[in-house]
Amino acid sequence: MYQRYPLYRILLRRTGVVLLTIITLPFMAFRSDKSRYYSYLHRVWSKTSTKPVWLSLAEKAPKDFY
């Protein structure tokens, strides 16, 4: 049902996130909304399929309530 991204696309995304983090680190240190920005970068880093990140994490969680 879900398609996985090819390895080259995952590596490009993660390289982009690392570069953006390094470039914006001096500017984001003094901003009040830096947690929102870094949360967005974490979502981009974690994205490895067309499945939403929250859904893939929920599927990995223990099924204690079912």
Side-chain angles (χ1 to χ4, degrees):
M1 183 170 170
Y2 297 104
Q3 300 283 330
R4 294 189 62 79
Y5 287 135
L7 182 61
Y8 75 89
R9 188 156 180 191
I10 294 169
L11 293 176
L12 282 175
R13 280 173 145 322
R14 291 187 176 187
T15 303
V17 167
V18 169
L19 288 175
L20 277 174
T21 302
I22 292 170
I23 291 169
T24 60
L25 189 62
F27 305 106
M28 295 305 288
F30 302 108
R31 294 191 50 122
S32 61
D33 62 344
K34 62 185 161 214
S35 61
R36 183 173 39 153
Y37 175 72
Y38 289 120
S39 176
Y40 170 75
L41 287 179
H42 181 264
R43 280 195 315 263
V44 172
W45 176 275
S46 300
K47 184 75 171 160
T48 56
S49 69
T50 56
K51 186 185 300 189
V53 174
W54 66 267
L55 182 58
S56 67
L57 293 176
E59 289 176 348
K60 292 178 187 175
K63 307 285 192 243
D64 293 335
F65 300 108
Y66 296 111

Short mmCIF file of all heavy atoms in Angstrom, two decimals:
data_model
loop_
_atom_site.label_atom_id
_atom_site.label_comp_id
_atom_site.label_asym_id
_atom_site.label_seq_id
_atom_site.Cartn_x
_atom_site.Cartn_y
_atom_site.Cartn_z
N MET A 1 0.81 -1.19 0.00
CA MET A 1 0.00 0.00 0.00
C MET A 1 0.86 1.27 0.00
O MET A 1 0.51 2.24 -0.62
CB MET A 1 -0.92 -0.02 1.21
CG MET A 1 -1.86 1.14 1.28
SD MET A 1 -3.05 0.82 2.59
CE MET A 1 -3.82 2.35 2.68
N TYR A 2 1.98 1.25 0.70
CA TYR A 2 2.85 2.41 0.75
C TYR A 2 4.13 2.14 -0.03
O TYR A 2 4.68 1.06 0.02
CB TYR A 2 3.21 2.76 2.20
CG TYR A 2 2.01 3.15 3.01
CD1 TYR A 2 1.44 2.29 3.93
CD2 TYR A 2 1.43 4.39 2.83
CE1 TYR A 2 0.34 2.65 4.65
CE2 TYR A 2 0.32 4.76 3.55
CZ TYR A 2 -0.22 3.89 4.46
OH TYR A 2 -1.31 4.26 5.18
N GLN A 3 4.61 3.15 -0.71
CA GLN A 3 5.85 3.05 -1.48
C GLN A 3 6.99 3.62 -0.66
O GLN A 3 6.85 4.70 -0.08
CB GLN A 3 5.73 3.83 -2.79
CG GLN A 3 4.63 3.36 -3.70
CD GLN A 3 5.00 2.10 -4.42
OE1 GLN A 3 6.17 1.87 -4.69
NE2 GLN A 3 4.03 1.27 -4.71
N ARG A 4 8.10 2.93 -0.62
CA ARG A 4 9.28 3.46 0.06
C ARG A 4 10.08 4.32 -0.91
O ARG A 4 10.12 4.04 -2.10
CB ARG A 4 10.13 2.33 0.59
CG ARG A 4 9.42 1.55 1.69
CD ARG A 4 10.32 0.57 2.37
NE ARG A 4 11.46 1.17 3.05
CZ ARG A 4 11.41 1.76 4.25
NH1 ARG A 4 10.28 1.86 4.87
NH2 ARG A 4 12.50 2.23 4.80
N TYR A 5 10.71 5.37 -0.38
CA TYR A 5 11.58 6.19 -1.21
C TYR A 5 12.85 5.42 -1.53
O TYR A 5 13.33 4.63 -0.73
CB TYR A 5 11.97 7.47 -0.48
CG TYR A 5 10.87 8.50 -0.37
CD1 TYR A 5 10.62 9.14 0.83
CD2 TYR A 5 10.09 8.84 -1.46
CE1 TYR A 5 9.62 10.09 0.93
CE2 TYR A 5 9.09 9.79 -1.36
CZ TYR A 5 8.87 10.41 -0.17
OH TYR A 5 7.89 11.35 -0.07
N PRO A 6 13.45 5.69 -2.70
CA PRO A 6 14.75 5.07 -3.00
C PRO A 6 15.83 5.64 -2.08
O PRO A 6 15.70 6.74 -1.54
CB PRO A 6 15.00 5.44 -4.46
CG PRO A 6 14.03 6.50 -4.81
CD PRO A 6 12.93 6.49 -3.80
N LEU A 7 16.90 4.88 -1.93
CA LEU A 7 17.99 5.25 -1.02
C LEU A 7 18.60 6.61 -1.38
O LEU A 7 18.89 7.41 -0.49
CB LEU A 7 19.07 4.18 -1.02
CG LEU A 7 20.25 4.42 -0.09
CD1 LEU A 7 19.77 4.50 1.36
CD2 LEU A 7 21.28 3.34 -0.25
N TYR A 8 18.75 6.90 -2.66
CA TYR A 8 19.36 8.18 -3.04
C TYR A 8 18.50 9.36 -2.58
O TYR A 8 19.02 10.40 -2.19
CB TYR A 8 19.62 8.25 -4.55
CG TYR A 8 18.40 8.48 -5.39
CD1 TYR A 8 17.96 9.76 -5.69
CD2 TYR A 8 17.67 7.41 -5.90
CE1 TYR A 8 16.84 9.98 -6.46
CE2 TYR A 8 16.55 7.61 -6.67
CZ TYR A 8 16.14 8.90 -6.95
OH TYR A 8 15.01 9.11 -7.72
N ARG A 9 17.20 9.20 -2.60
CA ARG A 9 16.32 10.30 -2.18
C ARG A 9 16.39 10.51 -0.67
O ARG A 9 16.38 11.64 -0.18
CB ARG A 9 14.89 10.01 -2.61
CG ARG A 9 13.99 11.17 -2.37
CD ARG A 9 12.81 11.15 -3.26
NE ARG A 9 11.97 12.30 -2.97
CZ ARG A 9 10.76 12.45 -3.43
NH1 ARG A 9 10.25 11.54 -4.21
NH2 ARG A 9 10.07 13.51 -3.13
N ILE A 10 16.48 9.42 0.08
CA ILE A 10 16.61 9.53 1.53
C ILE A 10 17.92 10.23 1.88
O ILE A 10 17.96 11.12 2.73
CB ILE A 10 16.56 8.14 2.18
CG1 ILE A 10 15.17 7.53 2.00
CG2 ILE A 10 16.90 8.22 3.66
CD1 ILE A 10 15.09 6.07 2.37
N LEU A 11 19.01 9.83 1.20
CA LEU A 11 20.30 10.46 1.46
C LEU A 11 20.31 11.94 1.08
O LEU A 11 20.91 12.76 1.78
CB LEU A 11 21.40 9.70 0.73
CG LEU A 11 21.65 8.28 1.23
CD1 LEU A 11 22.69 7.59 0.36
CD2 LEU A 11 22.08 8.29 2.67
N LEU A 12 19.65 12.29 -0.02
CA LEU A 12 19.57 13.70 -0.41
C LEU A 12 18.79 14.51 0.62
O LEU A 12 19.19 15.63 0.97
CB LEU A 12 18.91 13.83 -1.78
CG LEU A 12 19.78 13.52 -2.98
CD1 LEU A 12 18.96 13.56 -4.27
CD2 LEU A 12 20.93 14.49 -3.06
N ARG A 13 17.69 13.96 1.10
CA ARG A 13 16.90 14.66 2.12
C ARG A 13 17.71 14.89 3.38
O ARG A 13 17.72 15.98 3.95
CB ARG A 13 15.67 13.84 2.50
CG ARG A 13 14.50 13.93 1.56
CD ARG A 13 13.48 12.92 2.02
NE ARG A 13 12.10 13.09 1.95
CZ ARG A 13 11.34 14.15 2.14
NH1 ARG A 13 11.83 15.25 2.38
NH2 ARG A 13 10.07 14.14 2.07
N ARG A 14 18.39 13.84 3.84
CA ARG A 14 19.14 13.94 5.09
C ARG A 14 20.35 14.86 4.94
O ARG A 14 20.69 15.61 5.86
CB ARG A 14 19.54 12.56 5.57
CG ARG A 14 18.29 11.81 6.01
CD ARG A 14 18.57 10.52 6.64
NE ARG A 14 17.31 9.94 7.12
CZ ARG A 14 17.23 8.86 7.83
NH1 ARG A 14 18.32 8.21 8.17
NH2 ARG A 14 16.06 8.40 8.22
N THR A 15 20.99 14.85 3.78
CA THR A 15 22.10 15.77 3.53
C THR A 15 21.59 17.20 3.54
O THR A 15 22.23 18.10 4.11
CB THR A 15 22.77 15.44 2.19
OG1 THR A 15 23.21 14.09 2.21
CG2 THR A 15 23.93 16.37 1.92
N GLY A 16 20.44 17.42 2.93
CA GLY A 16 19.84 18.76 2.93
C GLY A 16 19.51 19.25 4.32
O GLY A 16 19.72 20.42 4.66
N VAL A 17 18.99 18.36 5.16
CA VAL A 17 18.65 18.74 6.53
C VAL A 17 19.91 19.12 7.30
O VAL A 17 19.93 20.12 8.03
CB VAL A 17 17.89 17.60 7.24
CG1 VAL A 17 17.80 17.85 8.72
CG2 VAL A 17 16.50 17.44 6.65
N VAL A 18 20.95 18.34 7.15
CA VAL A 18 22.20 18.64 7.86
C VAL A 18 22.76 19.98 7.39
O VAL A 18 23.18 20.81 8.22
CB VAL A 18 23.23 17.51 7.66
CG1 VAL A 18 24.60 17.91 8.16
CG2 VAL A 18 22.77 16.24 8.35
N LEU A 19 22.75 20.23 6.09
CA LEU A 19 23.25 21.50 5.58
C LEU A 19 22.41 22.68 6.06
O LEU A 19 22.96 23.72 6.47
CB LEU A 19 23.29 21.48 4.06
CG LEU A 19 24.37 20.60 3.44
CD1 LEU A 19 24.23 20.57 1.92
CD2 LEU A 19 25.74 21.11 3.83
N LEU A 20 21.09 22.54 6.03
CA LEU A 20 20.23 23.62 6.52
C LEU A 20 20.44 23.88 8.00
O LEU A 20 20.44 25.03 8.44
CB LEU A 20 18.76 23.28 6.27
CG LEU A 20 18.24 23.59 4.87
CD1 LEU A 20 16.83 23.07 4.70
CD2 LEU A 20 18.29 25.07 4.61
N THR A 21 20.62 22.83 8.77
CA THR A 21 20.86 23.00 10.20
C THR A 21 22.15 23.75 10.45
O THR A 21 22.20 24.67 11.27
CB THR A 21 20.90 21.63 10.90
OG1 THR A 21 19.66 20.94 10.66
CG2 THR A 21 21.11 21.78 12.38
N ILE A 22 23.21 23.38 9.75
CA ILE A 22 24.50 24.05 9.93
C ILE A 22 24.44 25.50 9.49
O ILE A 22 24.96 26.39 10.18
CB ILE A 22 25.61 23.29 9.16
CG1 ILE A 22 25.85 21.93 9.83
CG2 ILE A 22 26.88 24.10 9.09
CD1 ILE A 22 26.72 21.00 9.03
N ILE A 23 23.77 25.76 8.38
CA ILE A 23 23.69 27.13 7.86
C ILE A 23 22.86 28.03 8.77
O ILE A 23 23.22 29.17 9.03
CB ILE A 23 23.11 27.13 6.42
CG1 ILE A 23 24.13 26.50 5.46
CG2 ILE A 23 22.74 28.53 5.97
CD1 ILE A 23 23.57 26.22 4.09
N THR A 24 21.74 27.52 9.27
CA THR A 24 20.84 28.37 10.05
C THR A 24 21.11 28.37 11.55
O THR A 24 20.47 29.13 12.27
CB THR A 24 19.38 27.95 9.83
OG1 THR A 24 19.21 26.59 10.24
CG2 THR A 24 18.98 28.12 8.38
N LEU A 25 22.01 27.55 12.02
CA LEU A 25 22.28 27.47 13.45
C LEU A 25 22.62 28.82 14.09
O LEU A 25 22.05 29.18 15.12
CB LEU A 25 23.37 26.45 13.73
CG LEU A 25 23.60 26.10 15.19
CD1 LEU A 25 22.34 25.49 15.78
CD2 LEU A 25 24.76 25.14 15.32
N PRO A 26 23.50 29.64 13.51
CA PRO A 26 23.81 30.93 14.14
C PRO A 26 22.60 31.87 14.20
O PRO A 26 22.44 32.63 15.14
CB PRO A 26 24.89 31.54 13.25
CG PRO A 26 25.42 30.43 12.44
CD PRO A 26 24.34 29.40 12.34
N PHE A 27 21.73 31.80 13.19
CA PHE A 27 20.57 32.69 13.16
C PHE A 27 19.44 32.21 14.07
O PHE A 27 18.76 33.00 14.70
CB PHE A 27 20.03 32.82 11.73
CG PHE A 27 21.07 33.26 10.75
CD1 PHE A 27 21.61 32.37 9.84
CD2 PHE A 27 21.53 34.56 10.75
CE1 PHE A 27 22.57 32.77 8.94
CE2 PHE A 27 22.50 34.98 9.85
CZ PHE A 27 23.02 34.07 8.94
N MET A 28 19.26 30.91 14.15
CA MET A 28 18.16 30.35 14.93
C MET A 28 18.46 30.37 16.43
O MET A 28 17.55 30.21 17.24
CB MET A 28 17.85 28.92 14.50
CG MET A 28 17.33 28.80 13.09
SD MET A 28 15.90 29.82 12.75
CE MET A 28 14.66 28.95 13.66
N ALA A 29 19.69 30.56 16.82
CA ALA A 29 20.04 30.57 18.24
C ALA A 29 19.34 31.71 18.99
O ALA A 29 19.09 31.59 20.18
CB ALA A 29 21.55 30.70 18.39
N PHE A 30 19.00 32.78 18.30
CA PHE A 30 18.42 33.95 18.95
C PHE A 30 16.93 34.12 18.66
O PHE A 30 16.34 35.09 19.07
CB PHE A 30 19.16 35.21 18.50
CG PHE A 30 20.63 35.14 18.81
CD1 PHE A 30 21.55 34.97 17.79
CD2 PHE A 30 21.07 35.20 20.11
CE1 PHE A 30 22.89 34.90 18.07
CE2 PHE A 30 22.43 35.13 20.41
CZ PHE A 30 23.34 34.98 19.38
N ARG A 31 16.32 33.17 17.99
CA ARG A 31 14.89 33.27 17.68
C ARG A 31 14.06 32.52 18.71
O ARG A 31 14.51 31.54 19.30
CB ARG A 31 14.62 32.71 16.29
CG ARG A 31 15.28 33.54 15.20
CD ARG A 31 14.80 33.15 13.86
NE ARG A 31 13.35 33.10 13.81
CZ ARG A 31 12.62 33.81 12.97
NH1 ARG A 31 13.21 34.60 12.12
NH2 ARG A 31 11.32 33.69 12.96
N SER A 32 12.85 32.96 18.90
CA SER A 32 11.98 32.32 19.88
C SER A 32 11.24 31.12 19.29
O SER A 32 10.74 30.28 20.03
CB SER A 32 10.97 33.32 20.42
OG SER A 32 10.16 33.80 19.37
N ASP A 33 11.13 31.02 17.96
CA ASP A 33 10.39 29.92 17.34
C ASP A 33 11.30 28.83 16.77
O ASP A 33 10.92 28.11 15.86
CB ASP A 33 9.47 30.46 16.23
CG ASP A 33 10.24 31.13 15.11
OD1 ASP A 33 11.43 31.46 15.32
OD2 ASP A 33 9.64 31.34 14.04
N LYS A 34 12.48 28.71 17.33
CA LYS A 34 13.44 27.73 16.81
C LYS A 34 12.98 26.30 16.98
O LYS A 34 13.30 25.44 16.17
CB LYS A 34 14.82 27.93 17.42
CG LYS A 34 14.88 27.73 18.90
CD LYS A 34 16.27 28.07 19.41
CE LYS A 34 16.17 28.32 20.88
NZ LYS A 34 17.06 29.31 21.36
N SER A 35 12.18 26.01 18.00
CA SER A 35 11.71 24.64 18.20
C SER A 35 10.79 24.21 17.06
O SER A 35 10.83 23.06 16.63
CB SER A 35 11.00 24.51 19.53
OG SER A 35 9.89 25.34 19.59
N ARG A 36 9.98 25.12 16.55
CA ARG A 36 9.11 24.80 15.42
C ARG A 36 9.94 24.51 14.16
O ARG A 36 9.65 23.57 13.42
CB ARG A 36 8.15 25.96 15.17
CG ARG A 36 7.17 25.68 14.05
CD ARG A 36 6.14 26.76 13.93
NE ARG A 36 6.71 28.08 14.14
CZ ARG A 36 6.22 29.18 13.62
NH1 ARG A 36 5.14 29.14 12.89
NH2 ARG A 36 6.79 30.34 13.84
N TYR A 37 10.98 25.29 13.94
CA TYR A 37 11.84 25.09 12.78
C TYR A 37 12.57 23.75 12.87
O TYR A 37 12.59 22.99 11.90
CB TYR A 37 12.85 26.24 12.69
CG TYR A 37 13.86 26.07 11.61
CD1 TYR A 37 13.51 26.21 10.28
CD2 TYR A 37 15.18 25.77 11.92
CE1 TYR A 37 14.45 26.05 9.27
CE2 TYR A 37 16.12 25.62 10.92
CZ TYR A 37 15.75 25.76 9.61
OH TYR A 37 16.67 25.59 8.63
N TYR A 38 13.14 23.45 14.03
CA TYR A 38 13.87 22.19 14.17
C TYR A 38 12.92 21.00 14.19
O TYR A 38 13.30 19.90 13.78
CB TYR A 38 14.78 22.22 15.39
CG TYR A 38 15.95 23.16 15.17
CD1 TYR A 38 16.17 24.25 15.98
CD2 TYR A 38 16.81 22.95 14.10
CE1 TYR A 38 17.22 25.11 15.76
CE2 TYR A 38 17.87 23.80 13.87
CZ TYR A 38 18.07 24.88 14.70
OH TYR A 38 19.12 25.72 14.46
N SER A 39 11.70 21.19 14.62
CA SER A 39 10.69 20.13 14.54
C SER A 39 10.39 19.81 13.07
O SER A 39 10.25 18.65 12.69
CB SER A 39 9.42 20.56 15.27
OG SER A 39 8.43 19.60 15.12
N TYR A 40 10.30 20.85 12.26
CA TYR A 40 10.09 20.65 10.82
C TYR A 40 11.27 19.90 10.21
O TYR A 40 11.07 18.96 9.42
CB TYR A 40 9.90 21.99 10.12
CG TYR A 40 9.93 21.88 8.63
CD1 TYR A 40 8.83 21.35 7.94
CD2 TYR A 40 11.04 22.26 7.90
CE1 TYR A 40 8.86 21.22 6.57
CE2 TYR A 40 11.06 22.14 6.53
CZ TYR A 40 9.98 21.62 5.86
OH TYR A 40 10.02 21.49 4.51
N LEU A 41 12.48 20.27 10.56
CA LEU A 41 13.65 19.57 10.03
C LEU A 41 13.67 18.11 10.46
O LEU A 41 14.05 17.23 9.69
CB LEU A 41 14.95 20.26 10.48
CG LEU A 41 15.25 21.60 9.81
CD1 LEU A 41 16.54 22.18 10.38
CD2 LEU A 41 15.34 21.46 8.32
N HIS A 42 13.23 17.84 11.68
CA HIS A 42 13.17 16.45 12.15
C HIS A 42 12.15 15.65 11.33
O HIS A 42 12.39 14.49 11.00
CB HIS A 42 12.81 16.41 13.63
CG HIS A 42 12.77 15.03 14.16
ND1 HIS A 42 11.60 14.31 14.27
CD2 HIS A 42 13.76 14.20 14.59
CE1 HIS A 42 11.87 13.12 14.75
NE2 HIS A 42 13.17 13.02 14.95
N ARG A 43 11.03 16.26 11.00
CA ARG A 43 10.03 15.56 10.17
C ARG A 43 10.59 15.26 8.79
O ARG A 43 10.36 14.19 8.24
CB ARG A 43 8.77 16.40 10.04
CG ARG A 43 7.86 16.31 11.22
CD ARG A 43 6.48 16.84 10.90
NE ARG A 43 6.47 18.09 10.17
CZ ARG A 43 6.32 19.29 10.71
NH1 ARG A 43 6.18 19.40 12.01
NH2 ARG A 43 6.31 20.36 9.96
N VAL A 44 11.33 16.20 8.21
CA VAL A 44 11.94 15.96 6.90
C VAL A 44 12.97 14.84 7.01
O VAL A 44 13.06 13.97 6.15
CB VAL A 44 12.58 17.25 6.35
CG1 VAL A 44 13.38 16.96 5.10
CG2 VAL A 44 11.51 18.28 6.07
N TRP A 45 13.77 14.83 8.07
CA TRP A 45 14.78 13.81 8.29
C TRP A 45 14.14 12.44 8.41
O TRP A 45 14.63 11.46 7.86
CB TRP A 45 15.57 14.15 9.54
CG TRP A 45 16.59 13.13 9.92
CD1 TRP A 45 16.37 12.00 10.65
CD2 TRP A 45 17.97 13.11 9.56
NE1 TRP A 45 17.54 11.31 10.80
CE2 TRP A 45 18.54 11.97 10.13
CE3 TRP A 45 18.78 13.97 8.83
CZ2 TRP A 45 19.88 11.66 9.99
CZ3 TRP A 45 20.11 13.66 8.71
CH2 TRP A 45 20.65 12.52 9.26
N SER A 46 13.05 12.34 9.13
CA SER A 46 12.40 11.06 9.42
C SER A 46 11.61 10.49 8.27
O SER A 46 11.30 9.31 8.24
CB SER A 46 11.46 11.21 10.61
OG SER A 46 12.16 11.62 11.73
N LYS A 47 11.26 11.31 7.32
CA LYS A 47 10.37 10.88 6.24
C LYS A 47 11.09 9.90 5.32
O LYS A 47 12.03 10.24 4.64
CB LYS A 47 9.92 12.10 5.45
CG LYS A 47 8.94 11.81 4.39
CD LYS A 47 7.59 11.56 4.96
CE LYS A 47 6.59 11.50 3.84
NZ LYS A 47 5.39 10.84 4.21
N THR A 48 10.63 8.65 5.31
CA THR A 48 11.26 7.64 4.46
C THR A 48 10.26 6.89 3.60
O THR A 48 10.61 5.97 2.91
CB THR A 48 12.03 6.61 5.31
OG1 THR A 48 11.13 6.04 6.26
CG2 THR A 48 13.19 7.25 6.02
N SER A 49 8.98 7.27 3.66
CA SER A 49 7.98 6.62 2.83
C SER A 49 6.84 7.59 2.61
O SER A 49 6.84 8.70 3.14
CB SER A 49 7.46 5.35 3.50
OG SER A 49 6.71 5.67 4.63
N THR A 50 5.85 7.19 1.86
CA THR A 50 4.69 8.05 1.66
C THR A 50 3.75 7.98 2.84
O THR A 50 2.80 8.73 2.91
CB THR A 50 3.93 7.66 0.38
OG1 THR A 50 3.58 6.28 0.48
CG2 THR A 50 4.76 7.90 -0.85
N LYS A 51 4.03 7.10 3.75
CA LYS A 51 3.22 6.98 4.98
C LYS A 51 3.57 8.15 5.89
O LYS A 51 4.73 8.50 6.04
CB LYS A 51 3.56 5.67 5.67
CG LYS A 51 2.71 5.35 6.87
CD LYS A 51 3.17 4.11 7.58
CE LYS A 51 3.13 2.92 6.67
NZ LYS A 51 3.38 1.67 7.41
N PRO A 52 2.58 8.76 6.54
CA PRO A 52 2.89 9.84 7.48
C PRO A 52 3.79 9.35 8.62
O PRO A 52 3.69 8.19 9.04
CB PRO A 52 1.51 10.25 8.02
CG PRO A 52 0.53 9.74 7.03
CD PRO A 52 1.14 8.54 6.39
N VAL A 53 4.65 10.21 9.09
CA VAL A 53 5.61 9.83 10.14
C VAL A 53 4.88 9.35 11.39
O VAL A 53 5.24 8.35 11.99
CB VAL A 53 6.54 11.01 10.47
CG1 VAL A 53 7.43 10.69 11.64
CG2 VAL A 53 7.38 11.37 9.25
N TRP A 54 3.81 10.05 11.78
CA TRP A 54 3.09 9.65 12.99
C TRP A 54 2.49 8.26 12.86
O TRP A 54 2.43 7.51 13.82
CB TRP A 54 2.01 10.67 13.35
CG TRP A 54 0.89 10.74 12.35
CD1 TRP A 54 0.81 11.59 11.29
CD2 TRP A 54 -0.28 9.93 12.31
NE1 TRP A 54 -0.34 11.37 10.58
CE2 TRP A 54 -1.03 10.35 11.19
CE3 TRP A 54 -0.77 8.90 13.09
CZ2 TRP A 54 -2.25 9.77 10.86
CZ3 TRP A 54 -1.98 8.32 12.75
CH2 TRP A 54 -2.71 8.75 11.65
N LEU A 55 2.06 7.89 11.63
CA LEU A 55 1.47 6.58 11.44
C LEU A 55 2.53 5.48 11.53
O LEU A 55 2.30 4.44 12.15
CB LEU A 55 0.75 6.52 10.09
CG LEU A 55 0.04 5.23 9.74
CD1 LEU A 55 -1.00 4.88 10.79
CD2 LEU A 55 -0.61 5.34 8.38
N SER A 56 3.68 5.71 10.96
CA SER A 56 4.74 4.70 11.03
C SER A 56 5.22 4.52 12.46
O SER A 56 5.52 3.41 12.89
CB SER A 56 5.90 5.05 10.10
OG SER A 56 6.56 6.20 10.54
N LEU A 57 5.30 5.61 13.23
CA LEU A 57 5.70 5.50 14.63
C LEU A 57 4.63 4.80 15.46
O LEU A 57 4.93 4.03 16.36
CB LEU A 57 5.99 6.88 15.21
CG LEU A 57 7.22 7.59 14.64
CD1 LEU A 57 7.35 8.98 15.24
CD2 LEU A 57 8.47 6.78 14.91
N ALA A 58 3.38 5.05 15.14
CA ALA A 58 2.29 4.40 15.88
C ALA A 58 2.28 2.90 15.61
O ALA A 58 1.95 2.10 16.50
CB ALA A 58 0.95 5.02 15.49
N GLU A 59 2.64 2.50 14.41
CA GLU A 59 2.67 1.07 14.09
C GLU A 59 3.83 0.36 14.79
O GLU A 59 3.76 -0.82 15.05
CB GLU A 59 2.77 0.87 12.59
CG GLU A 59 1.49 1.23 11.87
CD GLU A 59 1.62 1.12 10.37
OE1 GLU A 59 2.76 1.00 9.86
OE2 GLU A 59 0.58 1.14 9.70
N LYS A 60 4.89 1.09 15.09
CA LYS A 60 6.04 0.50 15.78
C LYS A 60 5.82 0.42 17.29
O LYS A 60 6.53 -0.31 17.97
CB LYS A 60 7.29 1.33 15.50
CG LYS A 60 7.77 1.26 14.08
CD LYS A 60 8.96 2.15 13.88
CE LYS A 60 9.35 2.22 12.43
NZ LYS A 60 10.44 3.16 12.20
N ALA A 61 4.87 1.20 17.80
CA ALA A 61 4.62 1.23 19.25
C ALA A 61 4.01 -0.09 19.70
O ALA A 61 3.36 -0.80 18.94
CB ALA A 61 3.69 2.38 19.58
N PRO A 62 4.23 -0.45 20.97
CA PRO A 62 3.62 -1.68 21.48
C PRO A 62 2.11 -1.59 21.48
O PRO A 62 1.54 -0.52 21.68
CB PRO A 62 4.17 -1.81 22.90
CG PRO A 62 4.76 -0.50 23.23
CD PRO A 62 5.04 0.22 21.96
N LYS A 63 1.47 -2.70 21.26
CA LYS A 63 0.01 -2.75 21.18
C LYS A 63 -0.59 -3.05 22.55
O LYS A 63 -1.32 -4.00 22.74
CB LYS A 63 -0.42 -3.81 20.17
CG LYS A 63 0.21 -3.67 18.81
CD LYS A 63 -0.43 -2.53 18.07
CE LYS A 63 -0.03 -2.55 16.63
NZ LYS A 63 0.70 -1.47 16.15
N ASP A 64 -0.29 -2.24 23.55
CA ASP A 64 -0.75 -2.47 24.91
C ASP A 64 -2.26 -2.27 25.05
O ASP A 64 -2.89 -2.89 25.90
CB ASP A 64 -0.05 -1.55 25.88
CG ASP A 64 1.42 -1.86 26.00
OD1 ASP A 64 1.79 -3.01 25.73
OD2 ASP A 64 2.21 -0.96 26.35
N PHE A 65 -2.83 -1.41 24.23
CA PHE A 65 -4.23 -1.06 24.42
C PHE A 65 -5.16 -1.84 23.50
O PHE A 65 -6.35 -1.57 23.46
CB PHE A 65 -4.42 0.44 24.19
CG PHE A 65 -3.61 1.26 25.14
CD1 PHE A 65 -2.48 1.95 24.71
CD2 PHE A 65 -3.95 1.32 26.49
CE1 PHE A 65 -1.73 2.71 25.59
CE2 PHE A 65 -3.20 2.06 27.37
CZ PHE A 65 -2.09 2.75 26.93
N TYR A 66 -4.63 -2.76 22.74
CA TYR A 66 -5.49 -3.50 21.81
C TYR A 66 -5.77 -4.88 22.31
O TYR A 66 -5.03 -5.58 22.81
CB TYR A 66 -4.84 -3.56 20.43
CG TYR A 66 -4.69 -2.22 19.80
CD1 TYR A 66 -3.44 -1.64 19.63
CD2 TYR A 66 -5.79 -1.51 19.38
CE1 TYR A 66 -3.31 -0.40 19.05
CE2 TYR A 66 -5.67 -0.28 18.80
CZ TYR A 66 -4.43 0.28 18.64
OH TYR A 66 -4.30 1.50 18.06
#
